[in-house]
Amino acid sequence: MQEANVVDITPFLAKHQLPLKYQYLSEQFFIPLAHDVLSAKMAGQPMLVAINGCQGSGKTTLADFLVTWVNSNTEFNSVSLSIDDFYLSHAARAELAEDVHPLFATRGVPGTHDIKLMEQTLSALMAGKKNVPLPQFDKLTDDPVAKEHWPTNQKPVDIIFFEGWCVASTAQQPYQLQTPINDLEQYEDADGVWRRCVNSCLANEYQNVFAMADYTIMLKAPSFEDVYAWRLEQEHKLIAKNGLGKGTFDEITLRRFISHFERITRENLATLAHDVDALLLLDSQRDITKMQLLADKISQPLIFTDLDGTLLDHDSYECDVIKPFLAELNDTGINVIFNTSKTFAEVIDIQAGLEHHQPFIVENGAAVYIPKNYFAVKPIGCDEYHGFWRYALTQSCDKLHDDLNQHASQFSHCVRLFSKFSAQEIAELTGLPLDKSELALQRQYSDPICFSGSDTQRQPFIDIMSSLDYEVLVGGRFIHITKGTNKGLAQKWLLNQFKKAYRNPFTVIALGDSQNDVAMLKAADTAVLIKNPGSQVQAHILQKAWQLSDKPAPEGWVQEVSALSIIKAHLAAKKEQSHG
């Protein structure tokens, strides 16, 4: 995501006759809301955002603001549509009034819209079509604008903001319709024919349209009693602009008019707030007092994983087995972060083979690499390195070399630094191809040790290095020696960058297979130890709170991750969204 430009909304305020406090509302609520909408958008697919709000709540203004912001700050093309623009003509409603019930002469409730046109228009836009006629309705004449004057989209639309007082509403149960709720229903619909017909329309053809929505916003009024005052204010604006006449109401006719909407509006106020992605709570002055985002309540999984023996087969380093599942997680928006002892060059090569483009941690927590512009703002302390933002948590390995020569020279016959091996020797020792071995030698911050001595010799060596404030970790093939950092500290730093960039909470999942993964596992909410038959130390680091896979990598990784309830929930939600 690119950092948003600042939009001058002065013309927007004038267009909608809005006070300057709307500038504050946009910064406090509407721009974060726009970011949340974008975070829910599936890559490469148009998105329908439903905006529900009772009359006078500001839903049309909000839709216009979101379109303005998206089109000014992103590469996406967005449009706003109102359910009001799909009203049936005056003549068509008059026919309904004669054939079904007189109250259908008044526009507004389900049954008074051209639902077929609505579905066709939204479907065409969602299919990426251009030059789709966008209906317009003239409330002054109480009829649709002539079709030749309807605007069209000049290019495919990425996000459609579809607003309306009954958008996303659901029908009531039959028993709820029995008792009239206002004078209109009591005296003009005494037998309940009109309200049952409205409810039936809402339960059937309208749901076919509302089900197309990918994201739902609700502007919630404190109560229905506030609606009349808001709607009256709206009428005063129309009268000031167009004069009193057809299409506007005085106070008496307005009260009767909004009675048509009361039943569904009250039902929405009681139930709809529990089912939306974004809830904006209004006070009686129509000021927003709070915004609740569903994303704030749903924890987002963030996976940190070791590579050799955890994600990749310890011996073959095979990537193909893991690639489909890794792609599925990425498509679902679940970030998988490599946290490894490997070098920058090695990880770049592996990510290219997996078509994986995420931040990663190298050389046992020595440095974090983040693709440029991955976050809106570059984290403090990062420099730029080969298209990445790099944050180093430790110094280069020169100090380690000096300390080994000065304090551990008695073990020189048992210690051989990784950097002293040739690429051919690394290939023979690890099973890596020669070209991969050359990448492994491109170390910047650490220099693993191959210790050839006995176990009784190894412990005194570890003690000496520990006394120099090094952390000594016994890996699957090498002893890793670090100072001032480890996989866990690097993981915490990167997690903080995610928290700064995104609103939703995170659940950290970590997977490893050896001692040098312990700090990473301890720093996680959920820790999984992948079975490694070749590890001599794994049995000693298994803690009760950690899960142990039945199978080694990569099958064990797929099995354990796919079995986690939070992962299953996100994958299921993604599939449901795709089918919807």
Side-chain angles (χ1 to χ4, degrees):
M1 182 187 299
Q2 298 292 332
E3 186 171 6
N5 299 318
V6 177
V7 179
D8 179 11
I9 67 168
T10 304
F12 182 86
L13 298 178
K15 173 184 175 182
H16 292 279
Q17 303 177 50
L18 296 170
L20 286 175
K21 70 178 181 181
Y22 206 88
Q23 176 81 53
Y24 164 79
L25 293 175
S26 69
E27 295 171 355
Q28 187 74 11
F29 300 109
F30 301 151
I31 292 176
L33 174 59
H35 279 292
D36 198 59
V37 169
L38 293 178
S39 69
K41 186 182 182 303
M42 295 177 63
Q45 296 188 27
M47 179 185 196
L48 178 62
V49 178
I51 303 178
N52 175 280
C54 58
Q55 296 194 353
S57 61
K59 56 190 177 298
T60 303
T61 307
L62 174 60
D64 197 9
F65 176 87
L66 291 172
V67 167
T68 302
W69 189 92
V70 168
N71 290 349
S72 300
N73 288 279
T74 76
E75 72 276 16
F76 298 126
N77 177 37
S78 67
V79 298
S80 66
L81 297 175
S82 172
I83 197 170
D84 292 356
D85 285 318
F86 293 92
Y87 283 136
L88 292 169
S89 68
H90 181 83
R93 285 183 278 114
E95 187 176 342
L96 277 175
E98 184 175 345
D99 294 343
V100 182
H101 193 282
L103 287 178
F104 277 115
T106 301
R107 66 176 188 261
V109 298
T112 62
H113 301 90
D114 188 337
I115 198 70
K116 183 177 180 180
L117 176 63
M118 192 187 305
E119 189 168 4
Q120 288 175 343
T121 302
L122 293 175
S123 295
L125 292 173
M126 293 289 282
K129 294 182 179 180
K130 296 188 295 184
N131 300 315
V132 178
L134 307 179
Q136 302 276 286
F137 189 88
D138 187 346
K139 293 182 179 179
L140 289 176
T141 63
D142 198 24
D143 268 316
V145 173
K147 189 171 183 179
E148 58 266 25
H149 298 304
W150 291 359
T152 61
N153 61 308
Q154 301 304 303
K155 58 182 181 178
V157 174
D158 301 294
I159 305 176
I160 307 158
F161 293 99
F162 182 48
E163 56 90 2
W165 76 276
C166 67
V167 168
S169 301
T170 56
Q172 291 184 309
Q173 296 298 316
Y175 74 87
Q176 295 175 279
L177 305 173
Q178 294 175 2
T179 304
I181 64 168
N182 54 32
D183 288 347
L184 179 79
E185 290 190 1
Q186 183 172 353
Y187 297 113
E188 300 186 51
D189 187 38
D191 55 4
V193 170
W194 173 73
R195 56 185 180 267
R196 286 197 300 272
C197 186
V198 169
N199 197 63
S200 177
C201 291
L202 184 56
N204 293 289
E205 56 263 33
Y206 280 70
Q207 293 308 309
N208 294 335
V209 173
F210 298 162
M212 297 168 65
D214 302 293
Y215 188 102
T216 304
I217 301 168
M218 181 184 188
L219 290 156
K220 186 182 180 184
S223 68
F224 183 77
E225 284 65 36
D226 293 285
V227 176
Y228 174 75
W230 295 353
R231 191 62 175 82
L232 184 60
E233 179 185 346
Q234 197 174 52
E235 283 303 309
H236 287 162
K237 287 184 179 180
L238 288 173
I239 292 171
K241 181 179 180 181
N242 303 312
L244 183 63
K246 191 174 182 180
T248 59
F249 301 97
D250 58 26
E251 294 187 19
I252 296 175
T253 56
L254 176 62
R255 189 173 297 279
R256 178 181 179 276
F257 178 68
I258 66 171
S259 294
H260 292 74
F261 307 88
E262 183 171 355
R263 176 175 291 277
I264 294 175
T265 300
R266 287 188 181 276
E267 181 69 16
N268 285 340
L269 293 177
T271 63
L272 185 58
H274 305 295
D275 299 319
V276 298
D277 297 285
L279 176 65
L280 283 74
L281 299 172
L282 310 177
D283 62 16
S284 58
Q285 283 73 47
R286 287 195 296 179
D287 288 332
I288 298 172
T289 61
K290 187 177 182 181
M291 180 169 70
Q292 298 174 352
L293 298 179
L294 184 61
D296 290 340
K297 301 177 183 179
I298 299 176
S299 184
Q300 176 70 18
L302 186 61
I303 299 175
F304 290 85
T305 181
D306 177 50
L307 292 177
D308 295 351
T310 300
L311 183 77
L312 308 178
D313 184 278
H314 191 269
D315 297 314
S316 70
Y317 309 101
E318 178 59 50
C319 292
D320 291 343
V321 175
I322 199 70
K323 189 174 181 178
F325 185 53
L326 201 60
E328 184 180 7
L329 293 174
N330 283 330
D331 290 343
T332 308
I334 298 174
N335 304 88
V336 179
I337 311 298
F338 296 167
N339 194 352
T340 176
S341 61
K342 288 183 177 296
T343 65
F344 172 83
E346 288 180 285
V347 177
I348 287 294
D349 182 65
I350 291 171
Q351 290 209 144
L354 291 170
E355 299 178 4
H356 189 71
H357 309 287
Q358 295 289 339
F360 55 88
I361 300 166
V362 301
E363 300 189 45
N364 287 314
V368 182
Y369 292 87
I370 304 167
K372 284 182 64 176
N373 300 318
Y374 184 88
F375 298 128
V377 179
K378 182 171 74 172
I380 296 173
C382 288
D383 62 359
E384 294 190 13
Y385 182 82
H386 294 283
F388 287 82
W389 291 328
R390 176 177 62 180
Y391 184 81
L393 287 89
T394 190
Q395 298 177 342
S396 70
C397 53
D398 292 341
K399 181 69 167 92
L400 170 63
H401 297 161
D402 291 340
D403 285 338
L404 285 171
N405 291 331
Q406 184 175 350
H407 300 285
S409 58
Q410 66 269 39
F411 298 100
S412 59
H413 64 288
C414 303
V415 170
R416 188 177 184 189
L417 291 167
F418 192 92
S419 59
K420 300 302 181 181
F421 285 84
S422 67
Q424 182 62 45
E425 287 176 312
I426 293 295
E428 293 173 358
L429 182 63
T430 64
L432 286 168
L434 188 60
D435 59 334
K436 309 294 185 184
S437 298
E438 291 172 348
L439 297 177
L441 285 168
Q442 297 180 31
R443 311 196 73 82
Q444 296 173 303
Y445 302 99
S446 62
D447 203 348
I449 291 170
C450 181
F451 195 89
S452 59
S454 65
D455 290 344
T456 55
Q457 291 174 308
R458 182 171 63 183
Q459 190 56 51
F461 171 75
I462 292 175
D463 292 340
I464 288 176
M465 300 309 296
S466 298
S467 69
L468 298 173
D469 295 327
Y470 285 97
E471 183 174 3
V472 184
L473 303 170
V474 180
R477 292 187 177 92
F478 296 94
I479 293 178
H480 301 272
I481 300 178
T482 60
K483 178 178 281 191
T485 189
N486 55 45
K487 288 186 176 183
L489 291 173
Q491 175 175 295
K492 288 178 182 178
W493 183 88
L494 184 52
L495 172 61
N496 284 333
Q497 309 317 307
F498 273 93
K499 288 179 177 178
K500 291 176 183 177
Y502 301 103
R503 296 175 59 90
N504 49 295
F506 290 94
T507 294
V508 175
I509 301 161
L511 301 100
D513 74 305
S514 63
Q515 188 181 5
N516 67 337
D517 299 318
V518 170
M520 173 180 69
L521 296 170
K522 284 184 175 180
D525 299 302
T526 299
V528 180
L529 196 63
I530 299 299
K531 184 178 182 180
N532 185 346
S535 174
Q536 299 177 356
V537 298
Q538 189 172 71
H540 301 293
I541 65 173
L542 179 61
Q543 299 184 6
K544 291 182 179 179
W546 299 349
Q547 300 169 212
L548 177 64
S549 69
D550 295 326
K551 297 180 180 179
E555 291 84 359
W557 196 96
V558 174
Q559 184 182 66
E560 293 300 320
V561 171
S562 59
L564 294 172
S565 58
I566 189 172
I567 300 296
K568 290 194 290 186
H570 278 264
L571 292 175
K574 187 68 171 183
K575 289 178 180 178
E576 182 178 345
Q577 185 183 47
S578 299
H579 293 157

